[in-house]
Amino acid sequence: RSHPFVGRDKERSLLWATLREVVRRGAVRGVVIEAEPGYGASALGAWLCERAHEVGAATPVVLRPGGRATLAASERDRPIVLWADDAVHDPALVAAVDAALAEERSLFLLVTAHPGEVPERWLDDARIASVTLGPLVPDEQRALLASLLPLAPEAVDALVGATGGQPRFAVQLLTDLVSRGRLEPGPD
């Protein structure tokens, strides 16, 4: 089951403002999101691609290791969100990103990767902003858990403490507790 996107307001604002600039100027811009596994970099990428497609702002193209590494000719007529999700270890995908950056077109490059894995030339490119994600703050983690299941406040606090602000771990832990029958309905 999907759940609403919680938190990361500053990062989502940056992504959307960058996409608006790409659409308005017809230029290449980008954002690199570095995060430890489970902190939500890929969730942000999915959010941007879904939202850009929903409103017709851009065509999302996702590059992942083992996937295709070129833009089709039909994708050249409108802005593109080129999302390189954990693709920095695949030389063909790195080359595809380099080639896209060299083009004159409406392109939003979104790179999601673990810290320290992004090529320096991308980080040094003035057209590309860089963001490092940390854990969700406790209130955001509480909101995430509340969006998944109504829980007693003490259960929410225990899960927030156990997951340290890592959204994917919070979802996995809650899912595991439910599947193993470890949560009991409260009196409400």
Side-chain angles (χ1 to χ4, degrees), residues 42-103:
S42 293
L44 275 169
W47 171 83
L48 177 66
C49 287
E50 182 178 306
R51 189 77 183 115
H53 178 71
E54 280 176 353
V55 302
T59 300
V61 175
V62 181
L63 299 179
R64 289 193 172 106
R68 90 181 156 108
T70 59
L71 296 176
S74 64
E75 296 166 337
R76 297 184 184 276
D77 297 334
R78 60 183 298 203
I80 299 290
V81 173
L82 182 62
W83 176 23
D85 185 29
D86 202 26
V88 296
H89 300 292
D90 185 328
L93 298 182
V94 170
V97 169
D98 286 337
L101 285 171
E103 293 185 28

Side-chain angles (χ1 to χ4, degrees), residues 7-54:
R8 307 293 189 211
D9 294 334
K10 183 175 98 179
E11 293 85 356
R12 287 191 288 168
S13 292
L14 171 65
L15 293 175
W16 202 249
T18 304
L19 179 58
R20 277 196 316 265
E21 183 179 354
V22 165
V23 170
R24 189 174 61 248
R25 294 182 185 225
V28 175
R29 297 290 183 267
V31 176
V32 170
I33 301 174
E34 294 182 284
E36 294 296 336
Y39 276 16
S42 293
L44 275 169
W47 171 83
L48 177 66
C49 287
E50 182 178 306
R51 189 77 183 115
H53 178 71
E54 280 176 353

